[in-house]
Amino acid sequence: MQITLLRAARLQAAIHETLKGLKISPRAEFSIFADFDTEVEAEKNKLVAAIEKHSKLTAALFEVRRLTARANIEAGVSGLLADQAENDMRIELLSALAAVKPFEGADISRKRADRLATQPHQASPYGRDVGPKETLDIGLLDAEAIEAYGVELLEAKKVKVDLKDRLTEKNAGTTITLGPETAGLLKAEHLL
């Protein structure tokens, strides 16, 4: 049975959810009035069935993962994912650079520093004398550089959209073929 990479991703998530929902406990509580021979045996049978189901679903999950990994490499999805991660890091950097205040010039910075230095001391609520602030936050980039980073940021965001579209296209157009046993199991579990 052939399925697209998009469907394979959803299928993997569904198998994970099914596995999480399986109750596998090697212990059980019984009433003190229970017929231990039959009730314990029934619980053992449920446990064995759950373990077997878990094992088969786990095998199916990793068959889908292996097939998906191979298809991702063959279709170039892995390379696009690396490009996307690189572009996301670039967007993060450019966003920080494009958002700073520009360098205001040495004269203005000096005036701000002088104004801070001449502020009177203030008493703190804890009884200590607090002097003026002794540091200035000064942007290091000029307005032109910040604007250039903003333009680069817009371009990187366009690249992000393009990469996302290309990934969606590849994921929708690339298929994997599930083995008949796996397909049968997943259909029986209503996952396909």
Side-chain angles (χ1 to χ4, degrees):
M1 167 178 227
Q2 287 198 330
I3 60 172
T4 65
L5 292 179
L6 285 175
R7 189 165 180 201
R10 288 192 300 267
L11 179 60
Q12 288 178 67
I15 295 171
H16 267 290
E17 287 303 310
T18 302
L19 286 169
K20 279 196 257 180
L22 289 178
K23 182 185 173 201
I24 299 179
S25 176
R27 302 194 55 79
E29 289 190 23
F30 298 94
S31 165
I32 58 173
F33 305 107
D35 176 2
F36 292 110
D37 289 334
T38 39
E39 290 187 35
V40 169
E41 191 61 35
E43 287 300 313
K44 280 183 186 177
N45 290 340
K46 287 180 190 175
L47 174 62
V48 168
I51 291 170
E52 185 176 318
K53 183 176 184 175
H54 189 282
S55 296
K56 287 180 178 179
L57 284 172
T58 299
L61 171 65
F62 284 94
E63 178 183 338
V64 173
R65 285 181 109 184
R66 280 187 288 279
L67 291 169
T68 300
R70 283 187 210 114
N72 278 340
I73 291 168
E74 290 169 5
V77 171
S78 295
L80 286 175
L81 289 171
D83 293 345
Q84 188 176 47
E86 179 183 15
N87 193 60
D88 287 346
M89 289 185 79
R90 180 136 183 83
I91 287 172
E92 187 178 332
L93 172 65
L94 292 170
S95 295
L97 294 173
V100 298
K101 290 183 180 178
F103 177 61
E104 52 200 10
D107 291 340
I108 294 174
S109 296
R110 174 52 40 213
K111 286 178 185 175
R112 284 180 53 210
D114 290 343
R115 190 172 46 245
L116 283 175
T118 59
Q119 285 183 348
H121 290 262
Q122 299 173 355
S124 77
Y126 306 107
R128 292 182 297 193
D129 195 28
V130 178
K133 185 177 172 188
E134 295 182 359
T135 61
L136 283 179
D137 181 21
I138 298 175
L140 301 177
L141 301 173
D142 60 27
E144 293 81 26
I146 293 170
E147 185 179 337
Y149 287 128
V151 170
E152 279 188 63
L153 176 61
L154 291 175
E155 288 302 314
K157 287 181 177 181
K158 288 178 187 175
V159 169
K160 180 178 182 139
V161 170
D162 179 57
L163 285 169
K164 187 175 181 179
D165 289 348
R166 290 170 52 200
L167 277 168
T168 301
E169 186 179 297
K170 291 215 181 259
N171 282 326
T174 303
T175 60
I176 60 172
T177 304
L178 299 176
E181 187 176 308
T182 299
L185 169 69
L186 296 175
K187 282 180 182 176
E189 292 295 326
H190 306 289
L191 296 170
L192 273 180

